[in-house]
Amino acid sequence: MTTPPGRTAPTARRPRLRRGALTPERIVDVSLRLLDEHGTDGFTMPRLGKALGADQTAVYRHFAGKDEILLAVADRLLEEALTGFEAHPHWSDTLADVCRRVRGAYLAHPAAAALSGPRTTRRPAEMRAADTVIGALGDAGFGAAEAALLYRVVADFALLWSGGEAAFHSLDAETKAHEADGWARAYRAADPREYPHIHRVRDPLFEVDSADVFETALRLLLDSIEQRSPRPPQT
């Protein structure tokens, strides 16, 4: 239909959300989806508002700003990690399971983990994870001071390791390929006279994958905690 002379064409209106449809949970859901689909650079408040079908200013009724949304997203990742989790009979298995679950959730949402993973959320999922880890260390026989220290060691290992790995996976395909090519050119071609030790392991070095590295580091960490524990797990 044509617009009569002297009149302007009507502008398309964004469908209005029904009252109560915009909730913190929905905002976090859509934020996580946008990060999964568009990566870290594609997560903006205007894009979030458009995906929600609301003016971006409406989001501020639930969150003070983008950073607070990212903290809620970080807690959502921990919530996903702990879904279905139950403590194991042996405290060492509990710690291992928590660490593996965190890594799995972060790799499932690499962009979200890269932006929010290492943050302290102070929200329910983080508190549950902390309480679980501290409880396992208590079962190992550690007193309050040492349990607090080792909790930080375990938590920082799980979050920072997994966050770093997720940050790599959040890179675009071209950058990741360039990184892999750089490894091949720099390490595999290392001059044996200048770098004899790198040259010796140049082929096995490329057979190690990130899962092997994570599991080995996790085992070394747990072995050291077991050696310090007043009550090591029974085999």
Side-chain angles (χ1 to χ4, degrees), residues 74-134:
D75 210 59
R76 173 63 62 81
L77 297 184
L78 293 177
E79 183 181 327
E80 286 192 13
L82 294 175
T83 299
F85 170 81
E86 293 185 7
H88 295 259
H90 295 160
W91 59 263
S92 181
D93 293 333
T94 295
L95 296 180
D97 195 8
V98 170
C99 291
R100 291 182 181 122
R101 284 169 169 269
V102 169
R103 178 175 181 263
Y106 277 27
L107 292 183
H109 306 285
L115 282 180
S116 64
R119 303 291 301 277
T120 300
T121 74
R122 306 177 298 280
R123 285 168 165 80
E126 178 183 89
M127 300 298 284
R128 180 189 170 197
D131 197 65
T132 297
V133 171
I134 294 169

Side-chain angles (χ1 to χ4, degrees), residues 31 59 100 128 137 173 195 226 231:
S31 297
V59 175
R100 291 182 181 122
R128 180 189 170 197
L137 293 168
Y195 306 109
E226 289 176 11
R231 293 198 293 269

Side-chain angles (χ1 to χ4, degrees):
M1 186 175 73
T2 60
T3 302
R7 297 181 61 182
T8 58
T11 57
R13 292 185 177 181
R14 176 186 292 138
R16 297 187 63 181
L17 291 175
R18 61 180 176 80
R19 184 179 296 275
L22 190 62
T23 64
E25 291 74 20
R26 174 164 167 72
I27 292 170
V28 173
D29 287 344
V30 174
S31 297
L32 187 56
R33 176 172 61 79
L34 288 177
L35 284 162
D36 287 344
E37 293 176 356
H38 301 287
T40 56
D41 293 338
F43 180 63
T44 64
M45 294 303 290
R47 176 170 272 167
L48 175 59
K50 183 177 180 180
L52 288 166
D55 192 284
Q56 70 183 67
T57 58
V59 175
Y60 298 128
R61 291 200 290 268
H62 300 280
F63 293 97
K66 183 177 178 180
D67 191 65
E68 190 175 344
I69 296 173
L70 290 176
L71 291 177
V73 168
D75 210 59
R76 173 63 62 81
L77 297 184
L78 293 177
E79 183 181 327
E80 286 192 13
L82 294 175
T83 299
F85 170 81
E86 293 185 7
H88 295 259
H90 295 160
W91 59 263
S92 181
D93 293 333
T94 295
L95 296 180
D97 195 8
V98 170
C99 291
R100 291 182 181 122
R101 284 169 169 269
V102 169
R103 178 175 181 263
Y106 277 27
L107 292 183
H109 306 285
L115 282 180
S116 64
R119 303 291 301 277
T120 300
T121 74
R122 306 177 298 280
R123 285 168 165 80
E126 178 183 89
M127 300 298 284
R128 180 189 170 197
D131 197 65
T132 297
V133 171
I134 294 169
L137 293 168
D139 292 342
F142 292 109
E146 196 161 17
L149 172 62
L150 291 174
Y151 155 68
R152 286 294 307 274
V153 171
V154 173
D156 285 0
F157 166 77
L159 295 173
L160 296 177
W161 185 294
S162 301
E165 193 175 353
F168 174 77
H169 285 281
S170 72
L171 298 172
D172 61 85
E174 183 179 353
T175 302
K176 284 190 286 188
H178 181 72
E179 284 290 312
D181 181 60
W183 265 77
R185 285 186 287 105
Y187 284 79
R188 207 163 228 161
D191 187 336
R193 294 166 298 181
E194 189 173 1
Y195 306 109
H197 306 301
I198 294 176
H199 182 77
R200 182 174 67 88
V201 302
R202 66 191 184 283
D203 290 329
L205 186 62
F206 289 89
E207 297 172 4
V208 177
D209 65 22
S210 57
D212 293 330
V213 177
F214 174 82
E215 287 295 330
T216 301
L218 175 60
R219 189 67 261 163
L220 291 171
L221 173 62
L222 295 178
D223 285 349
S224 67
I225 294 175
E226 289 176 11
Q227 289 181 3
R228 296 175 63 160
S229 168
R231 293 198 293 269
Q234 302 297 313
T235 56

